[in-house]
Amino acid sequence: MTPRDPVADLRAIAFALERAGEAPYRVKAFRRAADVVAELPADELARRVLDGTLTKVPGIGEVTARCVVESLAGEEPVYLRRMLATAGTPVDGATDALVAALRGDCHSHTDWSDGGSPLGEMVAAAVGLGREYLVITDHSPRLTVARGLTADRLEAQLDAIAELNATVPAGFRVLTGIEVDILADGSLDQTDELLARLDVVVASLHSGLRDPSDVLTPRLLAAVANPHVDILGHCTGRIVKAGGVRAGGRTRPPSEFDAPAVFAACAGHGVAVEINSRPDRLDPPKRLLRLAVEAGCLFAVDSDAHAPGQLDWLRFGCERAARCGVPADRIVNTWPVEKLLTWTKT
């Protein structure tokens, strides 16, 4: 195949990242790599590609080196292809279509844990927004700062939800759930018996978020392989806006893990990747969201609401889904409730 121009491809990626509003440091990495490659003699560039030493050149990392290798092989770099795939998507129309397609919300909190409003108020708000179901996913016991539910308190909440379901309008349903902590060994912070009784289980990391990839990746892979897990919540744990509920008023960078391996596991186990709609999270970043689309993952566009008005944040997640080409039929909360429950039980 005729080689492509790796410098042009690296600069095209940098431009696409800027257009998508990605972090400046990522844009600079591709622009810096383009400048370095442009200065390398052609014979040295070819030699380093052949012997695998391109990353030893200052300014070229593993990702940018892979793009150079693909370009010189005559292939459009995968990174560039992902960025360009949705560059011309009419976001507003696509966003509106996804918002209209959503039937429910699979991640919400009440004052049983760290939410600010009672169960009934959250449900009333969801009904008012035209939803068909709301999953209550208060925290598990280990997250004491969020008043996580012990086994006894979770059982009491299940009784309260059953009573509430007897009073909600026809066509609406409150679903039981939990946002369960992924522990250090990848196990889950609740008993198997209780997890099996819940309609939806969202598993999330809330500790060790700055651990290296070789520590976090096995934790995530173990959790995704757990048969009780339905959704992998806010997978990088990042906080992009000061004032985030878990960052003490600070921003927080995304956790590092082997994203291709984790998303391949999600696709293989039928676990949905959450598109967290909170404005202070917007997790995962768009580059990882595009990777999850390519991996064939299912998704859940969730509000992670801690108050009734926050249930209306789903549009933020839908906008990111539209930008990254997430198919509506792979978003589990576009499904009718019975199809959703069939999926979670199997």
Side-chain angles (χ1 to χ4, degrees), residues 16-223:
L17 286 167
E18 288 172 333
R19 180 173 53 200
E22 292 284 2
Y25 78 89
R26 197 171 304 283
V27 176
K28 290 179 181 177
F30 281 94
R31 292 206 183 282
R32 170 65 175 154
D35 292 342
V36 171
V37 172
E39 293 297 321
L40 281 178
D43 58 343
E44 181 182 354
L45 179 62
R47 176 179 61 78
R48 288 188 176 278
V49 167
L50 287 174
D51 62 20
T53 61
L54 196 54
T55 56
K56 296 187 180 300
V57 179
I60 300 179
E62 290 185 8
V63 174
T64 51
R66 189 181 312 122
C67 293
V68 171
V69 171
E70 292 168 344
S71 185
L72 289 176
E75 304 169 2
E76 184 179 54
V78 171
Y79 203 116
L80 178 59
R81 187 171 72 245
R82 290 204 302 265
M83 292 300 301
L84 296 179
T86 57
T89 300
V91 174
D92 287 346
T95 299
D96 288 342
L98 284 183
V99 171
L102 294 182
R103 295 172 179 263
D105 190 339
C106 294
H107 186 170
S108 68
H109 297 273
T110 74
D111 62 1
W112 282 71
S113 65
D114 64 342
S117 298
L119 175 60
E121 289 185 13
M122 294 296 289
V123 170
V127 171
L129 288 168
R131 308 277 159 73
E132 297 176 17
Y133 51 87
L134 177 67
V135 187
I136 304 301
T137 53
D138 280 311
H139 289 285
S140 61
R142 184 183 181 279
L143 203 61
T144 54
V145 68
R147 295 181 60 243
L149 274 62
T150 63
D152 288 344
R153 291 183 66 220
L154 178 55
E155 290 201 61
Q157 187 184 71
L158 299 186
D159 292 338
I161 290 174
E163 293 177 7
L164 187 57
N165 265 323
T167 67
V168 296
F172 186 87
R173 186 164 169 185
V174 189
L175 299 183
T176 61
I178 191 172
E179 184 180 12
V180 64
D181 257 29
I182 300 172
L183 302 178
D185 61 357
S187 62
L188 304 181
D189 182 35
Q190 193 47 272
T191 67
D192 284 341
E193 186 274 332
L194 268 176
L195 292 174
R197 290 174 56 188
L198 301 175
D199 293 319
V200 178
V201 173
V202 179
S204 304
L205 290 173
H206 289 105
S207 63
L209 298 176
R210 305 313 306 145
D211 286 344
S213 176
D214 61 356
V215 173
L216 285 185
T217 300
R219 282 180 71 187
L220 289 169
L221 291 175

Side-chain angles (χ1 to χ4, degrees), residues 205-206 209-210 234 236-241 245-248 250-255 281:
L205 290 173
H206 289 105
L209 298 176
R210 305 313 306 145
H234 48 68
T236 77
R238 73 176 186 172
I239 299 294
V240 296
K241 183 183 296 185
V245 294
R246 288 285 169 264
R250 301 182 300 275
T251 59
R252 182 169 63 211
S255 298
R281 284 194 183 275

